[in-house]
Amino acid sequence: MKFFIDTANLAQIKEANDLGVLDGVTTNPSLMAKEGIKGQEAVYNHYKTICEIVLNGDISAEVVSTDFDGIVAEGKKLAAIHPNIVVKVPMIKDGVKALKWFSDNGIRTNCTLIFSAGQAILAAKAGAKYVSPFIGRIDDSGWDGVALIEQIARIYSIQGYDTEILAASIRSPLHIIKCAEAGADVCTCPLESILGLLKHPLTDIGLAKFMEDAKKFS
Ligand code: E4P
């Protein structure tokens, strides 16, 4: 399973990248707004900077248009920023049409705001490179996000779809583990969930004892 970080914060992206386990970055309009970036030029420069930090990683940049012509025009501009940009398109009717257009024209896409298996089938049929089921938001509303990952993984395997399942809206290290178990191809996570995977009290206790004993022979 690939690891993406789900943020537009450059310090966090650098920290995750320095760990050596990062395969890409996802952003969305809310994450960009959180960083206080304003204006199209600043937004595009920010994406370029992210691409220059995470070399060889896929960087999702989301369109903010909702009509076919607008999504295509915007997606073309985003894709021109850097070869590693993946155009993020919402799961709406014009979005599906745009996914097909991008696929026919060699532009890779990430279909976002996926909350059902039906939506994941449509995105795969339209040629999306990634689909992003929002598992945390599903859990928040009393449904089972990981079960959706399992269902999509089963369908894609039976049908032979190439689209990769990008588990999004991750809330905890346990979500990451469950997504790996459920067959997600990618997990996009907040930095704290990635770092949370490091933690185990027995590791800390074991290391403290090793360090204590090391003093006896050093
Ligand atoms: C990623 O592609 C999504 O935009 C993101 O994971 C949404 O996460 P949230 O539910 O924490 O906002």
Side-chain angles (χ1 to χ4, degrees), residues 6 26-28 31 62 88 110 112 132 134 137 166 168-171 188:
D6 194 27
T26 51
T27 61
N28 63 36
L31 294 170
E62 187 159 344
K88 205 169 171 196
N110 171 0
T112 189
S132 291
F134 277 30
R137 292 193 198 185
L166 194 171
S169 185
I170 297 294
R171 304 269 188 262
T188 188

Side-chain angles (χ1 to χ4, degrees), residues 162-177:
D162 292 333
T163 302
E164 293 182 41
I165 304 168
L166 194 171
S169 185
I170 297 294
R171 304 269 188 262
S172 66
L174 185 60
H175 261 163
I176 302 176
I177 297 163

Side-chain angles (χ1 to χ4, degrees), residues 114-116 133-146 148 169 171:
I114 295 284
F115 292 92
S116 76
F134 277 30
I135 73 161
R137 292 193 198 185
I138 293 173
D139 287 2
D140 292 346
S141 53
W143 297 73
D144 185 347
V146 172
L148 178 61
S169 185
R171 304 269 188 262

Side-chain angles (χ1 to χ4, degrees), residues 37 47 57 63 78 81 83 88 95-96 117 130 133 136 149 152 156 166 172 194 202 213:
I37 305 151
Y47 287 136
V63 298
L78 289 168
I81 296 172
K88 205 169 171 196
V96 173
Y130 298 106
I149 301 289
I152 298 171
Y156 280 12
L166 194 171
S172 66
I194 298 175
L202 290 179
D213 288 344

Side-chain angles (χ1 to χ4, degrees), residues 91 96 99 111 114 118-131 156 163:
M91 173 37 77
V96 173
L99 289 172
C111 186
I114 295 284
Q119 293 176 326
I121 291 171
L122 259 185
K125 286 290 291 175
K129 161 83 177 157
Y130 298 106
V131 279
Y156 280 12
T163 302

Side-chain angles (χ1 to χ4, degrees), residues 17-180:
N17 194 52
D18 286 349
L19 204 56
V21 297
L22 197 64
D23 301 297
V25 180
T26 51
T27 61
N28 63 36
S30 308
L31 294 170
M32 293 295 279
K34 200 169 156 192
E35 298 310 308
I37 305 151
K38 281 207 174 74
Q40 200 192 63
E41 205 188 324
V43 167
Y44 284 26
N45 282 337
H46 199 78
Y47 287 136
K48 191 161 178 280
T49 306
I50 294 174
C51 292
E52 285 161 358
I53 295 170
V54 186
L55 301 170
N56 306 320
D58 282 347
I59 313 300
S60 285
E62 187 159 344
V63 298
V64 290
S65 303
T66 53
D67 64 293
F68 174 77
D69 290 337
I71 295 171
V72 167
E74 212 185 315
K76 283 200 277 189
K77 282 190 208 158
L78 289 168
I81 296 172
H82 193 280
N84 293 350
I85 290 283
V86 174
V87 179
K88 205 169 171 196
V89 177
M91 173 37 77
I92 53 175
K93 199 170 174 186
D94 280 32
V96 173
K97 278 170 66 181
L99 289 172
K100 179 72 171 81
W101 189 93
F102 288 129
S103 161
D104 289 345
N105 287 276
I107 293 177
R108 297 175 311 143
T109 52
N110 171 0
C111 186
T112 189
L113 292 167
I114 295 284
F115 292 92
S116 76
Q119 293 176 326
I121 291 171
L122 259 185
K125 286 290 291 175
K129 161 83 177 157
Y130 298 106
V131 279
S132 291
F134 277 30
I135 73 161
R137 292 193 198 185
I138 293 173
D139 287 2
D140 292 346
S141 53
W143 297 73
D144 185 347
V146 172
L148 178 61
I149 301 289
E150 283 167 358
Q151 188 183 21
I152 298 171
R154 248 188 337 268
I155 292 169
Y156 280 12
S157 160
I158 292 166
Q159 298 298 332
Y161 293 141
D162 292 333
T163 302
E164 293 182 41
I165 304 168
L166 194 171
S169 185
I170 297 294
R171 304 269 188 262
S172 66
L174 185 60
H175 261 163
I176 302 176
I177 297 163
K178 291 283 180 192
C179 284

